[in-house]
Amino acid sequence: MSVFFILMKSRMLQHSVLPFCLTVVVLLLVQSCEGSLSAKSRLIADKGIVALAGDDVILSCSLVPANSASSQTVVWTRPDLDPKYIHVQKDGQPVCSSQNLLYFNRTALFEEELKHGNVSLKLSRVKISDGGKYFCFVQSVVWAVSIKLTVGKSAVSCF
Ligand SMILES: *[C@@H]1O[C@H](CO)[C@@H](O)[C@H](O)[C@H]1NC(C)=O
Ligand SMILES: *[C@@H]1O[C@H](CO)[C@@H](O)[C@H](O)[C@H]1NC(C)=O
């Protein structure tokens, strides 16, 4: 809100009525959007994860408030890859056809956790090339969230 007050203040300093009115309209629009979005869940995720090559990691992402995601489409992507799909799940089943082959047989969601809105991704046997920015989407939510995975070389790994 404080941003808008600053905005309004700077607008009023210009002694012009039109910009002031526009600001009020924008303010009202933003408020009504915030109102309708807050009725639904949003996603929260870890900011970043650090792992060593060969580790199994959990990229944490969940709905708040915790609505069930069991029957929702859940999508994990890495937009810097082509195909960008890391893990896609529809009607409780993984959709393997769209998956980037680099992630074959290394991804899973926690089935029991989905009903608590927890759509965290388990990524097994991480490689150096897995380092990057991952996005978590759930069908009912407007905004995706991202998590950065950093993978370091392990002393004993061959990757
Ligand atoms: C998938 O990974 C498991 C180890 O977690 C391995 O035992 C299995 O053979 C792999 N399946 C395929 C099809 O590569
Ligand atoms: C989601 O489930 C995973 C696996 O059980 C767990 O490690 C993680 O802490 C859970 N996240 C939340 C927010 O409960």
Side-chain angles (χ1 to χ4, degrees):
M1 285 304 286
S2 56
V3 174
F4 291 107
F5 284 122
I6 293 164
L7 208 73
M8 284 171 71
K9 221 166 135 189
S10 66
R11 290 299 195 202
M12 283 192 285
L13 285 177
Q14 290 169 11
H15 298 290
S16 166
V17 176
L18 182 63
F20 175 71
C21 289
L22 284 177
T23 306
V24 169
V25 168
V26 168
L27 181 74
L28 291 174
L29 280 175
V30 168
Q31 269 190 330
S32 66
C33 287
E34 272 174 358
S36 60
L37 281 179
S38 62
K40 293 185 178 175
S41 293
R42 63 193 177 87
L43 289 167
I44 54 163
D46 283 336
K47 284 274 175 291
I49 307 260
V50 178
L52 291 177
D55 285 353
D56 292 350
V57 295
I58 295 174
L59 301 181
S60 180
C61 180
S62 38
L63 288 168
V64 176
N67 295 328
S68 174
S70 300
S71 58
Q72 297 197 51
T73 300
V74 178
V75 180
W76 280 88
T77 65
R78 240 185 92 183
D80 59 323
L81 296 183
D82 182 21
K84 65 181 177 183
Y85 297 103
I86 306 305
H87 190 96
V88 177
Q89 181 149 316
K90 272 191 183 145
D91 306 320
Q93 293 295 319
V95 180
C96 300
S97 56
S98 58
Q99 187 183 41
N100 188 305
L101 286 177
L102 293 172
Y103 289 87
F104 171 72
N105 198 25
R106 294 197 297 128
T107 62
L109 302 183
F110 297 90
E111 292 306 325
E112 280 306 301
E113 296 286 342
L114 289 177
K115 51 176 172 282
H116 310 300
N118 182 345
V119 296
S120 298
L121 180 77
K122 181 174 182 191
L123 179 57
S124 305
R125 305 177 297 280
V126 296
K127 308 170 187 177
I128 299 288
S129 62
D130 290 345
K133 205 168 179 187
Y134 291 73
F135 284 80
C136 165
F137 297 85
V138 173
Q139 181 189 343
S140 65
V141 175
V142 179
W143 303 109
V145 287
S146 69
I147 304 181
K148 189 173 177 227
L149 173 64
T150 307
V151 184
K153 274 203 180 89
S154 125
V156 293
S157 112
C158 308
F159 301 111

